[in-house]
Amino acid sequence: QVQLVESGGGLVQAGGSLKLSCTASGRTFSETALGWFRQAPGKEREFVAAVSRGGELWYADSVKDRFTISRDNAKKTLYLQMNSLKPEDTGVYYCAKTPRIAYYASKDYLASQKVYDTWGQGTQVTVSS
């Protein structure tokens, strides 16, 4: 059974940076799309960024130009580089994986939590003002 394990969260001041990692077990990592989602206190979980099987990158408008998603299929690891962090970026960050998927998928498709079948346990990111 595939598992996802996030790391790299922590406490940072506004304007700072953090890099999250998500390492997967299993054999199908390279044949899937991957995403990052976050949940702020009292709010629903929301889309942050995704990378398709073919390498297309998609971002929520709120993080575009500040966050960078990337994947290393050889290491079975997904990354999220977060720069210029703001207090509103605070929350629990989750990585997620789809089942085997076509090479390319639209932003609307990959922004939906329903297309992901495996989730990590989450890592806390706190940005102080």
Side-chain angles (χ1 to χ4, degrees):
Q1 185 175 355
V2 176
Q3 290 185 322
L4 302 175
V5 178
E6 300 103 335
S7 61
L11 173 64
V12 64
Q13 288 188 333
S17 298
L18 282 175
K19 186 173 185 177
L20 306 183
S21 299
C22 171
T23 302
S25 60
R27 302 180 180 179
T28 62
F29 185 86
S30 64
E31 300 173 355
T32 68
L34 305 161
W36 286 100
F37 292 78
R38 68 186 180 189
Q39 186 167 22
K43 295 186 177 181
E44 294 188 354
R45 190 159 58 184
E46 65 176 4
F47 170 74
V48 175
V51 52
S52 71
R53 179 180 173 183
E56 282 184 310
L57 308 179
W58 303 110
Y59 297 95
D61 290 343
S62 60
V63 307
K64 196 173 182 180
D65 298 327
R66 299 188 298 122
F67 290 11
T68 302
I69 188 172
S70 61
R71 65 188 296 170
D72 185 331
N73 289 338
K75 294 183 178 180
K76 295 182 182 178
T77 302
L78 174 70
Y79 302 99
L80 185 68
Q81 176 67 48
M82 305 186 293
N83 298 328
S84 302
L85 282 161
K86 305 175 181 180
E88 51 263 44
D89 294 319
T90 294
V92 178
Y93 282 68
Y94 300 89
C95 64
K97 184 189 74 62
T98 69
R100 284 191 179 92
I101 195 173
Y103 271 90
Y104 298 105
S106 69
K107 177 181 178 180
D108 285 346
Y109 185 80
L110 293 181
S112 171
Q113 298 181 47
K114 297 178 181 179
V115 308
Y116 298 88
D117 67 348
T118 305
W119 293 80
Q121 83 287 352
T123 186
Q124 177 70 44
V125 171
T126 303
V127 184
S128 63
S129 57

